[in-house]
Amino acid sequence: MLGSRAAGFALGLRSVALASLPGWRGRSFALPRAIGAPHGGDLQPSACPGPRGRQLSLSATAVVNSAPRPLQPYLRLMRLDKPIGTWLLYLPCTWSIGLAAEPGCFPDWYMLSLFGTGAILMRGAGCTINDMWDQDYDKKVTRTASRPIAAGDISTFQSFVFLGGQLTLALGVLLCLNYYSIALGAGSLLLVITYPLMKRITYWPQLALGLTFNWGALLGWSAIKGSCDPSVCLPLYFSGVMWTLIYDTIYAHQDKRDDVLIGLKSTALRFGENTKLWLSGFSVAMLGALSVVGVNSGQTAPYYAALGAVGAHLTHQLYTLDIHRPEDCWNKFISNRTLGLILFLGIVLGNLWKEKKTDKTKKSIENKIEN
């Protein structure tokens, strides 16, 4: 016992002595949980610079940085290091898939995974198209000057070939769906190609983005049911468009000064100091449309509880938003992933709350219809 205490005391003195050295100042150390730990794990810097090793991390940025160097510009072009855009594209798909599930059942996990793969590919394709269109503008904006095409890491031809590969893989995902959904999904390509140009033409490019990003609200339902139910799909799509107007207007406030200098347009510039008033209107419209979705799809208490939480989240976003602080705009923007997940959870729990249709209940419903 005395020996173990002495070993522990000596180990403590060793760490203090090393911490006093200039080269080790400010670093944290991982001490063994027990004195009997292997000697090689006794004392390790938490971050070791240089080629000897990299700190393990599961963050998207760390994953991209740990990829082979020739591959990294392409992964950044897809924005794999910034997955928030993929989440915002994917979440309306999950809402639709969840709403289309049979009463008392979980959403179709195969469809959720299929649409997740499609969201990664289509978001990457959309970013590639956007950067190809905007490479001259990106060079003039501090935040975007380091993008792979603008920085010269990838040529226009290379990005075009890469775009073809992404769209080919996305087509493979689309072909896993029914014919109705294949045709519906193909109809979104025009929006995907043209929406990056809208910032040159109109002060409402966020509306074009909303029409594009929320296509999954239509596609998810049709992938499960075989076609769209307008009474559910259209208000769900509308609510998604309103949501995009909210979060992408907040996002656009980060670049408004650069946008004025280089001649680009956005709802952030259109709304100006009245931004909160406009976004409040969009929030009311979003919540109203989601209420219609709930009524038309026979949703239950958990769904409406989630809707209340979504309303509280939007209220907090807008009340605390400082449109003149880019870092606050970014934080509010990325918080919308939480909002989307809350709604998805409400849809799943609300659907599980419903009575599961057994063979007996189905027969009784059919008999009532016949009578």
Side-chain angles (χ1 to χ4, degrees), residues 16 44 60 65 132 152 158 164 205 209 239 314 361-362:
V16 171
Q44 291 292 336
N65 290 339
M132 289 171 68
Q158 288 172 321
L209 180 66
S239 68
L314 288 169
T361 56
K362 288 180 180 178

Side-chain angles (χ1 to χ4, degrees), residues 148-178:
I149 299 177
D153 297 330
I154 299 176
S155 68
T156 302
F157 177 75
Q158 288 172 321
S159 61
F160 187 78
V161 173
F162 184 55
L163 173 63
Q166 292 175 91
L167 291 176
T168 300
L169 292 174
L171 177 61
V173 173
L174 186 63
L175 292 177
C176 295
L177 307 180
N178 55 59

